[in-house]
Amino acid sequence: MDKLADQSREIKLRKKIEGFTLFDDELMSRVFDENIECTELVLRIILERTDLRVKQVHTQREIKNLRGHSVRLDIHAETAEDEPVDVEIQRADKGAGVKRARYNASMMDANTLVKGEEYDRLPECYCIFITEKDVMGCGLPVYHAQRVVSETGKLLGDGTHIIYVNGAYRGDDPVGRLMHDFSCSSPSDMYYQPLARQAWYYKNDEKGVEAMSKGMEELIDMEKKEIALKMLEDGKLQKEEVARYFGFTMDQVEELAESLAVQV
């Protein structure tokens, strides 16, 4: 029975992986993590900077705030000009609020300068939301938001760029083809080969599928811990209840409680 259960679980897992698109965290996190080629492709199209170079990129990067709310960035990249870039991939409109974009940008700024460095050293900062639906509702492929001086209508020029990309857009242009690829579950139907190669690897290659399966388990575990931590922080569940409902040992719950005490 155990063997049959394992086979059934494996079939369901592979079926789920087959249906993933780049709007799914599980696939997105694998495709872009430490992959400079794919990240450069996306940023060059969205920012319209064909010469843009990415120095480093990581997915699910956490920026800690010891005195407040920490953030986890879907894709955190740094350009050759030391510009920090946050790319958030969103299925739900709720996670793409403008105040979240403001907060993410502020957290990146706070982690850019070293002690004693002048404010003028702050580089351009980009916070990009790629949303499955057109959250701005105007049918445009890309929306750019920057601070403006109300009285003059001129840009403030503080270097903060908040950009929303309409994932429902399907124009015959680079953005339209990119959004097609983000929504595509079949690598063979993708326009851009760097994305297609990575997606194919994690959907079809045995080592890639194994890495995907492991990544899915890690993401599920991480999400469970974040929810459990929130429950403890809000006082909605006692430690014993967290252990019972989330399948943790009491030692694991104690570790969560200790991490909460450190944040406070």
Side-chain angles (χ1 to χ4, degrees):
M1 289 296 291
D2 288 343
K3 187 175 181 180
L4 287 174
D6 287 343
Q7 289 176 340
S8 176
R9 181 175 178 276
E10 181 71 17
I11 291 170
K12 288 180 180 178
L13 185 62
R14 285 181 177 267
K15 191 71 175 175
K16 192 169 185 178
I17 290 173
E18 285 175 9
F20 280 151
T21 73
L22 291 174
F23 278 107
D24 292 293
D25 281 346
E26 294 88 345
L27 182 61
M28 177 277 296
S29 296
R30 289 286 164 179
V31 166
F32 288 99
D33 192 35
E34 298 186 3
N35 192 302
I36 287 176
E37 183 184 23
C38 285
T39 307
E40 283 183 346
L41 168 69
V42 171
L43 296 184
R44 285 175 179 177
I45 291 172
I46 293 172
L47 300 180
E48 297 183 288
R49 290 169 52 183
T50 57
D51 60 343
L52 181 144
R53 296 289 181 185
V54 171
K55 190 160 56 175
Q56 59 178 331
V57 58
H58 301 282
T59 58
Q60 303 301 328
R61 164 82 182 278
E62 185 176 19
I63 299 180
K64 290 187 175 294
N65 182 355
L66 297 180
R67 297 180 62 84
H69 183 69
S70 299
V71 297
R72 187 180 298 279
L73 309 181
D74 283 350
I75 303 173
H76 183 253
E78 188 176 318
T79 71
E81 288 77 27
D82 296 323
E83 301 161 319
V85 182
D86 164 35
V87 183
E88 297 297 316
I89 314 297
Q90 292 294 135
R91 278 196 181 279
D93 295 354
K94 184 179 178 181
V98 293
K99 289 192 175 179
R100 181 184 177 190
R102 169 186 164 188
Y103 192 77
N104 282 14
S106 70
M107 286 292 287
M108 287 194 292
D109 278 346
N111 282 268
T112 298
L113 294 182
V114 298
K115 188 175 181 179
E117 205 168 8
E118 295 293 331
Y119 296 120
D120 287 344
R121 297 282 296 172
L122 272 174
E124 302 289 302
C125 174
Y126 297 88
C127 188
I128 301 169
F129 280 81
I130 301 176
T131 60
E132 190 173 36
K133 299 177 182 177
D134 181 8
V135 296
M136 295 294 177
C138 296
L140 298 175
V142 182
Y143 303 88
H144 299 82
Q146 297 183 59
R147 291 186 177 96
V148 173
V149 179
S150 299
E151 290 75 13
T152 65
K154 293 182 179 180
L155 292 175
L156 183 62
D158 65 342
T160 301
H161 305 268
I162 295 173
I163 300 169
Y164 283 83
V165 185
N166 174 9
Y169 177 71
R170 292 294 183 274
D172 186 20
D173 56 18
V175 174
R177 290 189 285 273
L178 182 65
M179 291 304 96
H180 166 273
D181 285 4
F182 263 78
S183 303
C184 193
S185 61
S186 174
S188 61
D189 293 333
M190 290 182 171
Y191 287 106
Y192 293 107
Q193 288 309 301
L195 298 178
R197 283 196 301 270
Q198 284 294 98
W200 187 92
Y201 175 75
Y202 288 111
K203 284 171 173 281
N204 297 282
D205 187 275
E206 284 301 320
K207 290 184 178 178
V209 172
E210 184 179 344
M212 270 288 293
S213 301
K214 182 181 178 182
M216 289 169 67
E217 292 174 358
E218 290 172 351
L219 274 174
I220 292 170
D221 187 53
M222 179 179 70
E223 288 169 0
K224 281 172 59 178
K225 286 181 178 179
E226 288 179 349
I227 295 170
L229 193 62
K230 187 65 177 174
M231 291 291 188
L232 285 172
E233 185 178 14
D234 292 345
K236 292 183 179 179
L237 292 177
Q238 298 300 311
K239 293 179 181 178
E240 293 77 10
E241 293 173 315
V242 168
R244 184 165 70 253
Y245 296 147
F246 289 90
F248 295 148
T249 65
M250 283 305 298
D251 286 342
Q252 289 174 316
V253 176
E254 290 295 343
E255 286 182 14
L256 285 174
E258 287 175 12
S259 70
L260 185 60
V262 169
Q263 289 181 29
V264 174

